[in-house]
Amino acid sequence: MNLPEEILEKILSRLPTKSLLQLRCVCKTWRTWISHPLFVKTHLRFQLELPEMGLLYPRKSDHDLDLGSHLGISSENIVAILDSCHGLLCIVYRFHSDHFPKPLQELILWNPCTGQCNHIPSPVFVSYKSYWFCFFYDSDADDYKIVRILTLQTMDGTRVDVFLKSNEWRTVVETHASVIASGSAIHFNGNIHCELKAETSWLISTMSKVVAVGNKNNLTRTVRNYADSIVLHTKEL
Amino acid sequence: MITLRSSDGETFDLDEVVAVELLTIKNMMEDCCADSVIPVPNVEGKILAKVIEYCKKHVKSTAMAEEHAISDADLKAWDSDFIKLDQATLFDLIMAANYLDIKSLLDLLCQTVADMIKGKSPEEIRKIFNIKNDFTPEEEKEIRRENQWAFE
């Protein structure tokens, strides 16, 4: 009895990822289906609606997960797990380059279930005081995006870059106000909510405010508006 | 009153309020066959009987819910008994629910099959779906190795 593809898709979407990975060796057709991006999306959408969702974390033994060996880098160079989205992890690690005196930082996107790693090319090197990343899924663009907010070292200023599907970083905002993003980000309904603090040498007190940072055109407008409003305010002092 | 005729000639009478649960039939009723017998060429009599039994129960529950408050738990228990069927009937029912476009029945059946598959080995899955293994032993070993943790 052969069930049509559309029905098999409905059935397989209901299985946990671990079961699905076992089913990849049933036959070649099933292996292709299970790995197909469209199926992965259907499966994800279904799993996200379930009341319980946890990240499947593979463990080899009772010891802690040796992250480095999964990623192909030395564990001591791993700085932090920055963010997660839909079961994918965004990890930052250090590496030494001959061209720069200090170690550089790079990002990897890792799917713990399938073991796939994507190295994100480094953004342009800029001296910074602090940085903040957010990794999320943009449903309008149907793609995962990484946003980086840098508070610049050399002069008071902030720069916001977004990593796009085209495999490049694009600077969306450059402003002279120093805006520091901190804390964890919450992405909700296509917007990133983060806490932004403004810290400039001539401000007596620190302002903090929760600002909605939209992830499309809104991103540019909202952050620039907020940053501009800080500059405006400080000029009045 | 609507009459459905299965592929093997059996006829079934059902109230309109039940018939509209089968979206394919509902559309046909709106287009043409309001007073005549509606043929269901893809579905056998014994399967169509099961489908209608399900729809009657679920429609009754919705209607009665306001008066007699049938609990969700009772309906769920009824569903659990309903799906205690042999595999061939289950698959036939899935095809029927898909053709007749009955979302809740299709969801119930797909979940049943998913629960049946969960925890079974690839070899057992192949038996259930009558699939030939077209991997060489080396290829199969490689796939298992790639996703080793899933087999632990």
Side-chain angles (χ1 to χ4, degrees), chain A:
Chain A
M1 162 89 244
N2 283 325
L3 291 177
E5 211 175 291
E6 65 206 43
I7 296 187
L8 261 180
E9 188 187 60
K10 287 189 164 71
I11 297 173
L12 295 182
S13 295
R14 290 169 146 77
L15 291 172
T17 312
K18 194 169 175 178
S19 297
L20 279 183
L21 292 176
Q22 288 182 12
L23 296 182
R24 287 180 80 233
C25 57
V26 165
C27 68
K28 289 183 179 167
T29 311
W30 278 41
R31 182 184 58 177
T32 312
W33 280 346
I34 291 172
S35 309
H36 197 283
L38 281 177
F39 172 72
V40 169
K41 231 185 266 186
T42 311
H43 179 252
L44 175 66
R45 215 180 308 134
F46 191 87
Q47 298 289 325
L48 286 174
E49 284 167 18
L50 295 179
E52 284 164 24
M53 201 188 67
L55 177 64
L56 291 171
Y57 224 49
R59 285 179 165 250
K60 288 202 165 155
S61 63
D62 289 331
H63 304 296
D64 276 334
L65 177 69
D66 180 11
L67 201 51
S69 68
H70 286 271
L71 303 174
I73 52 182
S74 162
S75 292
E76 66 201 20
N77 283 336
I78 294 178
V79 176
I81 296 179
L82 279 180
D83 206 349
S84 80
C85 177
H86 294 174
L88 301 174
L89 295 185
C90 183
I91 296 162
V92 69
Y93 73 99
R94 242 187 320 260
F95 75 101
H96 298 266
S97 167
D98 292 332
H99 303 288
F100 297 101
K102 284 189 186 173
L104 296 176
Q105 294 194 334
E106 280 219 331
L107 298 176
I108 290 186
L109 292 182
W110 180 49
N111 183 338
C113 292
T114 62
Q116 284 168 299
C117 283
N118 249 16
H119 286 257
I120 306 293
S122 299
V124 167
F125 181 78
V126 173
S127 294
Y128 58 83
K129 248 190 277 200
S130 69
Y131 65 83
W132 178 88
F133 281 95
C134 174
F135 170 53
F136 66 100
Y137 176 69
D138 178 352
S139 52
D140 285 341
D142 184 27
D143 192 26
Y144 292 93
K145 291 216 172 94
I146 308 175
V147 173
R148 178 182 77 158
I149 300 182
L150 280 188
T151 311
L152 304 175
Q153 182 118 46
T154 47
M155 55 188 149
D156 286 322
T158 306
R159 182 166 144 160
V160 181
D161 302 301
V162 180
F163 185 72
L164 306 168
K165 203 187 271 202
S166 49
N167 219 34
E168 53 174 358
W169 287 90
R170 191 176 301 168
T171 305
V172 290
V173 172
E174 264 182 296
T175 165
H176 289 303
S178 277
V179 178
I180 302 175
S182 66
S184 334
I186 306 168
H187 4 104
F188 181 71
N189 264 351
N191 288 320
I192 314 167
H193 298 257
C194 62
E195 192 182 331
L196 296 181
K197 281 189 234 184
E199 178 198 66
T200 58
S201 55
W202 60 83
L203 275 183
I204 303 163
S205 57
T206 332
M207 284 194 288
S208 76
K209 192 176 174 182
V210 175
V211 180
V213 181
N215 59 335
K216 270 174 78 177
N217 299 324
N218 297 335
L219 176 75
T220 317
R221 209 174 25 238
T222 315
V223 173
R224 196 193 302 247
N225 283 349
Y226 179 61
D228 286 348
S229 74
I230 298 169
V231 174
L232 208 61
H233 180 73
T234 55
K235 278 188 184 154
E236 290 163 6
L237 285 176

Side-chain angles (χ1 to χ4, degrees), chain B residues 18 52-62 70 74-75 78-79:
Chain B
V18 178
I52 292 173
E53 185 192 340
Y54 175 89
C55 293
K56 277 186 176 157
K57 182 70 179 180
H58 277 248
V59 162
K60 199 156 68 153
S61 305
T62 326
I70 282 193
D74 282 345
L75 194 55
W78 188 91
D79 283 349

